[in-house]
Amino acid sequence: MSPSRLETFADGVFAIAATLLILTVDGAVGGEGIGLGGELRHAWPAYVGYVVSFVTIGIMWLNHHTVMSLVERVDRRFLLANLGLLMCIAFVPFPTRLMAEHIRGAGAESAALAYGFTLTATALFFNTVWFYASRGGRLLRADCDPRAVAGITRTYLPGPLIYLGATLVAFASPTASALLYLAIAALYVVESSVFGGRETAGD
Amino acid sequence: MSPSRLETFADGVFAIAATLLILTVDGAVGGEGIGLGGELRHAWPAYVGYVVSFVTIGIMWLNHHTVMSLVERVDRRFLLANLGLLMCIAFVPFPTRLMAEHIRGAGAESAALAYGFTLTATALFFNTVWFYASRGGRLLRADCDPRAVAGITRTYLPGPLIYLGATLVAFASPTASALLYLAIAALYVVESSVFGGRETAGD
Amino acid sequence: MSPSRLETFADGVFAIAATLLILTVDGAVGGEGIGLGGELRHAWPAYVGYVVSFVTIGIMWLNHHTVMSLVERVDRRFLLANLGLLMCIAFVPFPTRLMAEHIRGAGAESAALAYGFTLTATALFFNTVWFYASRGGRLLRADCDPRAVAGITRTYLPGPLIYLGATLVAFASPTASALLYLAIAALYVVESSVFGGRETAGD
Amino acid sequence: MSPSRLETFADGVFAIAATLLILTVDGAVGGEGIGLGGELRHAWPAYVGYVVSFVTIGIMWLNHHTVMSLVERVDRRFLLANLGLLMCIAFVPFPTRLMAEHIRGAGAESAALAYGFTLTATALFFNTVWFYASRGGRLLRADCDPRAVAGITRTYLPGPLIYLGATLVAFASPTASALLYLAIAALYVVESSVFGGRETAGD
């Protein structure tokens, strides 16, 4: 299999997972008996969850392409690691719905833990994908810029710890945990907006 | 990332968002207890909403490709602007369902506002995408026809205002607002049918 | 826009519409209170509907590619006709569910009419797409085999009439109508199986 | 039609079917009235089903690409066989939900049978696709490695029997049957992890 076939499949899963997030919003409105206007206002956590998860999946899609732009060949272990990553990405709409429904109620802690553990697992698989490909340059193109490789390593490595930290905060305060998830997504956007005015690598 | 990878992802989101619209129709029929024939006739706003939103998403897909056909390279800010656009596109099935369910009831105003603000935001992101790419020719191909560039600018610029106007009409009459959304989509179709018998640009 | 971009988008809609058919089956099982085994047996119209609609969408996907393999360039009118076609394709899961739920009950006639009119409209758009492209060779490749072009015309032309005929039978007998839809899909499969052992055109 | 167009469509169905599996998990949580934490723990069969089905679909996607990498040309019969295969793949989310909901209840046998027969049918279509393409080298590239071809034949041939065996176990013990489905998926992963450190064929 060529790297580009993997990208097509991965693009499909990223795009579908992101688009299915709207079902979260859809499920949050209806049958409250408080009038549509009230319901739409009451459903605000669903909109926040939609935006945070959409941006998170979108950023992960960007990062996946950055990795794939450096990859020259794939083997079955690498494909399996990618399957694991995509399995986590496709899972994201579920804890997003939990957050939207429960962050204001008794289930807030469980919802925040579910969301955080999903993203921690995603970040772990991301590291698996990257380190399997880059360890000793196993699957990378020979002409990769070593600084680009080191830069990715430096960026991905703390990912699982950051998400795990934000997750564990949920035991103390699910709301704080939710704000941290939002802050992480916002950070990615701000960072890309401020420093992103260059052509992307791996064109 | 190459522009064509962005197009693949964007195509996926456009196609999925359009196809998910059928869930709106699906949800509009069932459990009324008036016989299937009566239910199917009673659900006519869902069919109108399906067609209007499908055509609107389809036209935006066409326009997105017109833009991408002029774009030579992408950077992270441009990708972020596109993510924002796709986030709005993927949101469209939700207000479409609201319109289908509530345009004949007490929630008509809220539904028409939700639909209109979604399309206004979409048009805003469309302009962000276009002006970021075209300002000073930042991301465009060197050989772009300047008239094509000016033509797109002229076409996109009033988009947010037109949709915002149609949205605000909902405070006076949600039905009038709905008819305006329909008229805008119909206008696109008529305009393309009458003037569209030429090969598309950016082939 | 190049023909291949249109194909990517169309492929997406075809694939998603076909895959969403499983929601029909999913909705047909649950809450009957007759034990899962009984429910699964009772839901057989949903399986038939799934297969018939999947095969119908699949055959239309094949035919769409046959057309696109002859098309050299696209214009906006052609794109609009394709949007209309895809709008019908994406609609198919809805009447499929109606058939699965109502073919044994009081709503059989309405369900069979909804299914038939959807496929009639789809066949009409297919003809629109084809005749717009082929009239005077407008969008076709210069080196198209005229017999291939005439063959497609001969095959597509009766499509709307065949489906309309099967639809109108529903006024007399919805079951007969349903059997005709099944027979049309089966005919496509048999015809392709018997005569299909040649390399496809437009490779 | 070129083999690569078939791959694009197939990739779409594989990706969507895999991503729709999350609806299984989504449906398993809600309305139990035991608190979200309890519900999330109680829903563990849904997570197992999600992982097993996602991995199974993913492995089938890998195998489909291995086949397509050897295929040089397609005909309509081959396309039909592929449609049948994709029809089974897109069906997988349904029995996955049945397993998740019923494996601990009275419907366990029916659920395990539904899951097993779906995978048996999938394996049968996989063999149909492969033997139609490879019999006498009908659709294969002239330069295919005969050992690769023989290796695929040897691997695919027992597939339907293995799944049928695991299915029939459900008459004695649905739980044992479920464990066998899990073991088969795990076996694929372990086998690919241990022996998969080589570049994939058909690059």
Side-chain angles (χ1 to χ4, degrees), chain A residues 7 11 15-16 19 22 25-26 29 36-37 50 54 58 61-62 65 189 192-194 196 198-201 203, chain B residues 1-2 5-6 9 16-17 73-77 79-80 83 86-87 90-91 94 97-98 102 107 110-111 132:
Chain A
E7 282 195 300
D11 278 5
I16 302 157
T19 315
I22 196 58
V25 181
D26 226 43
V29 173
L36 183 58
Y50 176 80
F54 201 101
W61 168 71
L62 289 183
H65 272 300
V189 173
S192 290
S193 305
V194 176
R198 283 161 310 182
E199 221 170 300
T200 60
D203 223 314
Chain B
M1 184 180 299
S2 68
R5 288 243 63 88
L6 170 57
F9 183 73
I16 301 157
R73 57 191 176 281
V74 302
D75 61 21
R76 282 183 86 90
R77 284 183 198 156
L79 291 169
L80 276 182
L83 269 189
L86 295 173
M87 196 162 68
F91 201 81
F94 171 61
R97 176 175 77 85
L98 296 181
H102 296 281
S110 300
Y132 183 75

Side-chain angles (χ1 to χ4, degrees), chain C residues 29-116:
Chain C
V29 172
E32 306 274 323
I34 54 173
L36 183 58
E39 280 186 48
L40 287 175
R41 278 188 296 277
H42 186 255
W44 65 263
Y47 314 137
V48 177
Y50 176 79
V51 171
V52 170
S53 290
F54 201 103
V55 167
T56 303
I57 291 177
I59 298 284
M60 283 172 173
W61 169 71
L62 289 183
N63 289 341
H64 192 254
H65 271 299
T66 306
V67 169
M68 292 307 294
S69 70
L70 303 172
V71 162
E72 186 173 55
R73 55 191 177 282
V74 302
D75 61 22
R76 281 183 88 90
R77 284 182 198 156
F78 183 71
L79 291 170
L80 275 182
N82 272 280
L83 269 189
L85 173 60
L86 295 174
M87 196 162 68
C88 293
I89 296 288
F91 201 80
V92 169
F94 171 61
T96 303
R97 176 176 75 87
L98 296 181
M99 286 292 268
E101 274 180 24
H102 295 281
I103 193 63
R104 290 173 300 195
E109 187 185 299
S110 300
L113 289 173
Y115 195 85

Side-chain angles (χ1 to χ4, degrees), chain A residues 63-107:
Chain A
N63 288 340
H64 192 253
H65 272 300
T66 305
V67 169
M68 292 306 293
S69 71
L70 302 172
V71 163
E72 185 173 56
R73 55 191 176 281
V74 301
D75 61 23
R76 281 185 86 90
R77 284 183 198 156
F78 183 71
L79 291 169
L80 275 182
N82 273 280
L83 270 189
L85 173 61
L86 295 173
M87 196 162 68
C88 293
I89 296 287
F91 201 81
V92 169
F94 171 62
T96 302
R97 176 175 76 86
L98 296 180
M99 286 291 268
E101 275 181 24
H102 295 281
I103 194 63
R104 290 174 298 195

Side-chain angles (χ1 to χ4, degrees), chain C residues 4 7-8 11-12 14-16 18-20 22-23 25-26 29 36-37 40 47 50-51 54-55 58-59 61-63 65-66 188-189 192-203, chain D residues 1-3 5-6 8-10 12-13 16-17 20 23 72-80 83-84 86-95 97-98 102 106-108 110-111 114 132:
Chain C
S4 77
E7 282 196 298
T8 308
D11 279 5
F14 278 106
I16 301 157
T19 314
L20 282 183
I22 197 57
L23 298 183
V25 180
D26 226 42
V29 172
L36 183 58
L40 287 175
Y47 314 137
Y50 176 79
V51 171
F54 201 103
V55 167
I59 298 284
W61 169 71
L62 289 183
N63 289 341
H65 271 299
T66 306
Y188 282 128
V189 172
S192 290
S193 304
V194 176
F195 301 109
R198 283 160 310 183
E199 223 170 298
T200 59
D203 223 315
Chain D
M1 184 180 299
S2 69
R5 289 242 65 86
L6 170 57
T8 308
F9 183 74
V13 173
I16 302 157
L20 283 183
L23 299 183
E72 185 174 55
R73 55 191 177 282
V74 302
D75 61 23
R76 281 184 88 90
R77 283 183 198 156
F78 184 71
L79 291 170
L80 276 182
L83 269 189
L86 295 173
M87 196 162 68
C88 293
I89 296 288
F91 201 81
V92 169
F94 171 61
R97 176 175 75 87
L98 297 181
H102 295 280
S110 300
Y132 183 75

Side-chain angles (χ1 to χ4, degrees), chain D residues 54-85:
Chain D
F54 201 102
V55 166
T56 303
I57 291 178
I59 298 284
M60 284 174 173
W61 168 71
L62 289 183
N63 288 340
H64 191 253
H65 270 300
T66 306
V67 169
M68 291 308 293
S69 70
L70 302 172
V71 162
E72 185 174 55
R73 55 191 177 282
V74 302
D75 61 23
R76 281 184 88 90
R77 283 183 198 156
F78 184 71
L79 291 170
L80 276 182
N82 272 281
L83 269 189
L85 173 60

Side-chain angles (χ1 to χ4, degrees), chain A residues 14-15 18 50-63 185 188-189 192, chain B residues 1 6 9-10 13 64 75-91 122 125-126 128-129:
Chain A
F14 278 106
Y50 176 80
V51 170
V52 170
S53 289
F54 201 101
V55 166
T56 303
I57 291 178
I59 298 284
M60 283 174 173
W61 168 71
L62 289 183
N63 288 340
Y188 283 129
V189 173
S192 290
Chain B
M1 184 180 299
L6 170 57
F9 183 73
V13 173
H64 191 253
D75 61 21
R76 282 183 86 90
R77 284 183 198 156
F78 183 71
L79 291 169
L80 276 182
N82 272 280
L83 269 189
L85 173 60
L86 295 173
M87 196 162 68
C88 293
I89 296 288
F91 201 81
T122 311
F125 269 111
F126 234 120
T128 310
V129 163

Side-chain angles (χ1 to χ4, degrees), chain D residues 162-194:
Chain D
I162 290 171
Y163 273 120
L164 184 62
T167 307
L168 297 178
V169 166
F171 287 113
S173 161
T175 309
S177 188
L179 289 172
L180 283 170
Y181 302 142
L182 189 147
I184 295 170
L187 202 73
Y188 283 128
V189 172
V190 170
E191 187 247 359
S192 290
S193 305
V194 176

